[in-house]
Amino acid sequence: MDNPNRTYTVGEFAALSKSSVRTLHYYDDIGLLRAQRDASSGHRVYRSQDIFKLQQIISLKFLGYRLEEIEELMARSTVGTSLTEGLRRQQEAIEAKQRQLEQVHTAIGRTVQLIEQQGELDRDVLFSLIHTMQSEEEQRQWLQERTSPELVDRLFNQSAEEKAEADREFIEFTREVRRLKGNPVDHPEVQALVAGLMDKTMARVGEENMASVSTLSETDLDSIQFMTSSPFTAEEEAWMNEAMAYLMTQQLGEENLKP
Amino acid sequence: MDNPNRTYTVGEFAALSKSSVRTLHYYDDIGLLRAQRDASSGHRVYRSQDIFKLQQIISLKFLGYRLEEIEELMARSTVGTSLTEGLRRQQEAIEAKQRQLEQVHTAIGRTVQLIEQQGELDRDVLFSLIHTMQSEEEQRQWLQERTSPELVDRLFNQSAEEKAEADREFIEFTREVRRLKGNPVDHPEVQALVAGLMDKTMARVGEENMASVSTLSETDLDSIQFMTSSPFTAEEEAWMNEAMAYLMTQQLGEENLKP
DNA sequence: CATAACGCCTCACGTAACTGGAGGTGCAAG
DNA sequence: CTTGCACCTCCAGTTACGTGAGGCGTTATG
């Protein structure tokens, strides 16, 4: 057994504690773990009891404390309820980080899956999707404040497969837009495209929720534009709006013919 | 609708993107998002198309990329399999972080629970426990290489309750040591204490695993000392060892009397 | 015995992604 | 005329070290 009075050099001490010489120098400099000095050589000398102190430092670092806080904590002799409070705050911070990491993790998962299925992707489309995933929480919050909980539930509480399906459909849609862009808005394929979009949107929102959507104001619709970044150019958007308008007039016309 | 050619000042742009003016200055400085300048005032001028670029930057930051990497990624026009590979690496890094956070989370949870149940705790004891939790993975690895998988399983694959129980027992044990310290090693309560310790240890290890424990070498036992930091002083350790030795001789004596 | 190789020392700069402050300009309102 | 606002630039500080230069004293080797 080692005798408890033996001393260590920085190198030995670093190896023991699995930290680095530089780290020990640093702790010495900032006064977190002061070493004694060999009078003649000026070398740092650590005593075996310093091991415990260093272990405490490492433990507290492990718990997420910064060195300054650690110094303060170690100066206090009692370790009780005051620490619990700090620990609980640490706990909450960790949970927040975990939630964020989880979000990023699934976002990357969805992105990778998309690229694998679809091959090379247009960068605008990809970034638009990533941006949507990233701000999903924000959008949910926003809708929660303005529409019915049922709609929010329906739109966001989807399974991973449903979300993947929505991603695919979106990609498909952008490809069709790129393919048909330039055609007149009354071109049958263009009309089919926008009709399909409206159907899908209706299906996604659900008929029973259309009422709460229609309560959204003009300014609301404007600000939704900023949140959901679109991969389309201004001309593409204008063209699509025209096609939509044409579709609406056609449908209205048919209805007027029926009775 | 905003016309697509309107321009923004830094302040407006910061508000739009929910970043700060300083951040935009910074991105301009490092060339990540260069702004044009108003010739007369020298003020930064952002165009609406810069919004997309900034959104992409924010998205990539969200995915965990560093600004330097982002600049490089955005310079490339194709976004395909090269990105997937990077994303997968990101994914793994995130998973590693998640595992680490999970470990810290449960460690703090156990600590808080202990302080709540036991009130004020001796700092040495507390740090000893935290240190043990922190290096649990390391210890598991160490034992895995040297003993049987069954033993490792038994020692580490415990439920949260079992671990909490072990923590409590350990605290209880340190309290008893403090209380009885100074008594002669053949004092009945001291003997009961060490006998209890041995019983608990045997129960924890399991009779069928004693064989693989005994294969550990002397040096192995030394290095285990460094990993499991003890909250006891050198004298306390010596005293406990003596008491253990006394217990062993007694038991050997009894066995010799039996037959 | 000279030299090389260690291990230690100090000093000082680099890191990532900002944040904050000091000091200055131009413009509009009170 | 002053106040306030929004902008500008330049400088410094943040965290917890990593890295490298240049130097000293001790030990191993040719």
Side-chain angles (χ1 to χ4, degrees):
Chain A
M1 275 296 121
D2 290 322
N3 99 42
N5 294 329
R6 75 161 281 200
T7 59
Y8 303 85
T9 67
V10 248
E12 292 167 339
F13 212 63
L16 255 173
S17 59
K18 278 162 198 173
S19 45
S20 72
V21 171
R22 180 66 181 97
T23 299
L24 293 172
H25 279 181
Y26 181 64
Y27 290 171
D28 195 3
D29 286 348
I30 64 172
L32 183 55
L33 182 64
R34 286 253 150 79
Q36 294 181 318
R37 296 304 184 109
D38 180 306
S40 65
S41 68
H43 289 193
R44 285 171 182 81
V45 175
Y46 292 90
R47 300 153 302 170
S48 44
Q49 68 221 74
D50 292 328
I51 293 181
F52 299 120
K53 202 169 175 193
L54 183 55
Q55 269 175 350
Q56 296 186 3
I57 292 171
I58 295 172
S59 293
L60 287 170
K61 236 179 35 175
F62 174 76
L63 294 187
Y65 287 96
R66 287 173 307 125
L67 298 187
E68 208 180 332
E69 298 171 318
I70 291 176
E71 194 168 1
E72 199 198 311
L73 278 172
M74 308 228 310
R76 298 213 293 258
S77 50
T78 59
V79 173
T81 41
S82 59
L83 186 65
T84 345
E85 199 193 329
L87 286 177
R88 241 190 275 279
R89 257 185 289 117
Q90 277 293 124
Q91 198 82 318
E92 277 163 31
I94 289 173
E95 282 160 18
K97 251 187 209 160
Q98 283 178 324
R99 277 193 299 274
Q100 198 222 335
L101 281 183
E102 190 52 40
Q103 208 192 135
V104 176
H105 190 262
T106 62
I108 295 184
R110 278 167 73 180
T111 309
V112 169
Q113 200 185 358
L114 263 177
I115 296 181
E116 270 171 7
Q117 287 173 349
Q118 311 278 333
E120 297 266 324
L121 278 180
D122 184 62
R123 42 182 302 141
D124 291 345
V125 177
L126 186 60
F127 280 122
S128 161
L129 276 167
I130 296 178
H131 181 251
T132 307
M133 297 176 201
Q134 174 193 347
S135 41
E136 227 159 51
E137 193 51 39
E138 196 188 338
Q139 288 180 38
R140 173 193 234 122
Q141 209 105 33
W142 190 90
L143 276 179
Q144 194 109 46
E145 288 165 14
R146 267 156 264 250
T147 69
S148 67
E150 291 80 32
L151 176 57
V152 175
D153 238 51
R154 177 146 186 170
L155 286 177
F156 291 99
N157 287 351
Q158 294 177 11
S159 69
E161 293 79 41
E162 285 172 314
K163 286 184 178 176
E165 173 62 18
D167 289 343
R168 265 198 304 278
E169 277 177 11
F170 182 69
I171 301 268
E172 180 55 30
F173 178 71
T174 63
R175 293 215 163 121
E176 282 294 283
V177 171
R178 298 264 194 274
R179 186 172 70 83
L180 296 172
K181 160 178 75 170
N183 288 91
V185 295
D186 59 354
H187 186 286
E189 279 198 283
V190 176
Q191 284 297 300
L193 177 63
V194 291
L197 172 64
M198 294 211 61
D199 279 1
K200 293 254 171 60
T201 307
M202 292 289 261
R204 196 149 282 151
V205 172
E207 220 163 317
E208 71 280 18
N209 292 312
M210 285 308 284
S212 54
V213 170
S214 58
T215 64
L216 293 174
S217 70
E218 264 296 312
T219 33
D220 282 345
L221 289 176
D222 267 14
S223 86
I224 215 170
Q225 292 271 354
F226 279 117
M227 284 196 312
T228 65
S229 87
S230 148
F232 301 113
T233 65
E235 305 98 73
E236 285 166 349
E237 299 239 4
W239 175 76
M240 280 163 53
N241 280 333
E242 268 186 66
M244 293 271 268
Y246 184 82
L247 179 71
M248 305 285 268
T249 59
Q250 290 299 103
Q251 287 183 340
L252 278 176
E254 276 173 34
E255 270 175 39
N256 287 345
L257 285 178
K258 260 185 216 156
Chain B
M1 271 301 118
D2 290 322
N3 98 41
N5 294 329
R6 75 161 282 200
T7 59
Y8 304 85
T9 66
V10 249
E12 292 167 339
F13 211 63
L16 256 172
S17 59
K18 279 165 196 171
S19 42
S20 74
V21 171
R22 293 293 288 109
T23 300
L24 292 172
H25 280 180
Y26 180 65
Y27 289 170
D28 195 3
D29 288 346
I30 65 172
L32 182 57
L33 182 64
R34 286 253 151 77
Q36 294 182 316
R37 297 303 184 111
D38 181 306
S40 67
S41 68
H43 288 196
R44 285 170 182 82
V45 175
Y46 292 89
R47 300 152 303 171
S48 45
Q49 70 222 70
D50 292 328
I51 292 182
F52 299 120
K53 199 167 178 196
L54 184 54
Q55 269 175 351
Q56 295 186 4
I57 291 172
I58 295 172
S59 291
L60 287 170
K61 239 180 31 175
F62 174 75
L63 294 187
Y65 287 97
R66 287 172 307 123
L67 299 187
E68 209 180 327
E69 299 171 318
I70 290 176
E71 195 168 0
E72 198 198 311
L73 278 172
M74 307 227 312
R76 297 212 295 258
S77 51
T78 60
V79 174
T81 41
S82 59
L83 188 65
T84 347
E85 198 195 328
L87 286 177
R88 241 189 276 279
R89 257 186 288 116
Q90 276 295 123
Q91 198 84 316
E92 277 161 31
I94 289 171
E95 282 159 18
K97 251 187 209 160
Q98 282 179 324
R99 279 192 298 274
Q100 197 222 334
L101 280 183
E102 190 52 41
Q103 207 192 137
V104 177
H105 190 262
T106 63
I108 296 184
R110 277 166 74 181
T111 308
V112 169
Q113 199 185 3
L114 263 177
I115 296 181
E116 270 171 6
Q117 288 173 351
Q118 311 278 332
E120 297 268 322
L121 277 182
D122 184 62
R123 42 181 303 140
D124 291 345
V125 177
L126 186 60
F127 281 121
S128 160
L129 276 167
I130 296 177
H131 180 252
T132 306
M133 298 177 201
Q134 173 193 347
S135 41
E136 229 159 51
E137 194 49 40
E138 194 188 338
Q139 288 179 39
R140 172 193 235 122
Q141 209 105 33
W142 190 91
L143 276 178
Q144 195 109 45
E145 288 166 15
R146 266 155 264 251
T147 68
S148 67
E150 293 80 30
L151 175 58
V152 175
D153 237 53
R154 177 148 186 169
L155 286 177
F156 291 98
N157 286 353
Q158 295 177 11
S159 69
E161 293 81 38
E162 287 171 313
K163 286 184 179 178
E165 174 62 17
D167 289 343
R168 267 198 302 280
E169 277 177 10
F170 182 68
I171 301 269
E172 180 56 30
F173 178 71
T174 63
R175 293 215 164 121
E176 282 294 284
V177 170
R178 299 263 194 273
R179 186 173 70 83
L180 296 172
K181 161 179 74 171
N183 288 92
V185 294
D186 59 354
H187 185 286
E189 278 198 283
V190 176
Q191 282 299 300
L193 177 64
V194 292
L197 172 65
M198 293 211 61
D199 279 0
K200 293 252 170 62
T201 308
M202 292 289 264
R204 196 150 283 152
V205 172
E207 221 163 318
E208 71 281 16
N209 291 314
M210 286 308 285
S212 55
V213 171
S214 58
T215 64
L216 294 173
S217 71
E218 265 295 313
T219 31
D220 281 345
L221 290 176
D222 267 14
S223 87
I224 213 172
Q225 292 271 354
F226 279 114
M227 284 197 311
T228 65
S229 87
S230 147
F232 301 112
T233 66
E235 304 100 73
E236 285 165 349
E237 298 241 4
W239 174 76
M240 280 161 53
N241 279 335
E242 267 186 68
M244 293 270 271
Y246 184 82
L247 178 72
M248 304 286 269
T249 59
Q250 289 300 102
Q251 286 182 343
L252 278 177
E254 276 173 34
E255 268 176 38
N256 285 348
L257 283 178
K258 260 187 214 155

